[in-house]
Amino acid sequence: MERNLFQEIKVGIFVVFFVALIGLSAFILGGSSDMFEPTYKLHTWYRDVKGLKVGAIVRVAGVDVGEVTKVEFENRSSSEVPVADEDRERTAIHVELTIQKQYQERIRLGSAATISTVGLLGDMYIALSSGDIKNAPLDEGATIKSAEAIDFLDYADKATGIVESAGN
């Protein structure tokens, strides 16, 4: 009886260890090995996020520095959203970015967040400009200015309209 219990405990420990090893491997192979790095949050607002999803990559100069952790309609009135008056009309959707702390020095006052795509019809990501080196880095919870992305499909639709109207 004792031998049976001891054998069951050994098998149980082996199974738990094996499951933990598989989980860790999935995180490392999935690119989440930086999940234990210290992070901080930045916020931005857009009128249209063009299909941006939670989990999308955030890049500075082509380097992955974080991810999008929230994409939600803003519940506050536009007068309460912390952006410049000229940007009030484009503040319908709040986007929260989680950035690795080691890159904080590269994201400064004057930086801008632009929604971009990998290729013409690829995945969406946020591209952050570095801002002026003379400015201070953005702190935890700061708002980064949003910049409207060039939408190739919008331009294609406009070009089609122009060609059709020219043909009439």
Side-chain angles (χ1 to χ4, degrees):
M1 182 88 162
E2 286 182 32
R3 180 166 162 73
N4 227 3
L5 180 62
F6 181 70
Q7 190 173 8
E8 287 179 13
I9 290 173
K10 282 184 2 184
V11 169
I13 290 172
F14 176 76
V15 168
V16 168
F17 174 76
F18 188 71
V19 168
L21 185 64
I22 288 174
L24 182 62
S25 297
F27 279 123
I28 291 172
L29 293 175
S32 295
S33 60
D34 57 357
M35 66 183 265
F36 301 112
E37 295 285 329
T39 62
Y40 72 107
K41 301 206 181 299
L42 295 176
H43 304 273
T44 189
W45 282 264
Y46 293 95
R47 181 178 59 231
D48 182 356
V49 293
K50 302 182 185 329
L52 183 73
K53 295 187 180 351
V54 170
I57 295 170
V58 177
R59 292 182 175 154
V60 174
V63 176
D64 296 355
V65 299
E67 69 178 358
V68 173
T69 48
K70 280 187 189 174
V71 177
E72 60 191 6
F73 285 102
E74 183 56 48
N75 293 330
R76 298 184 284 180
S77 71
S78 65
S79 63
E80 295 174 325
V81 175
V83 294
D85 287 338
E86 63 270 12
D87 293 333
R88 293 244 179 258
E89 295 302 314
R90 26 184 242 143
T91 58
I93 302 172
H94 170 237
V95 177
E96 181 182 79
L97 313 173
T98 299
I99 309 295
Q100 293 176 32
K101 203 98 160 128
Q102 66 186 9
Y103 299 108
Q104 187 171 12
E105 287 293 318
R106 300 192 177 276
I107 306 166
R108 301 176 167 276
L109 191 62
S111 293
T114 305
I115 298 172
S116 299
T117 59
V118 177
L120 188 57
L121 298 173
D123 290 335
M124 307 299 275
Y125 70 95
I126 299 253
L128 301 179
S129 63
S130 293
D132 190 346
I133 194 79
K134 296 174 187 170
N135 293 336
L138 293 176
D139 292 326
E140 167 77 32
T143 296
I144 187 168
K145 183 180 178 182
S146 62
E148 290 299 317
I150 297 171
D151 190 349
F152 294 109
L153 295 177
D154 285 346
Y155 284 117
D157 288 342
K158 288 177 185 176
T160 301
I162 291 169
V163 168
E164 286 176 354
S165 66
N168 291 336

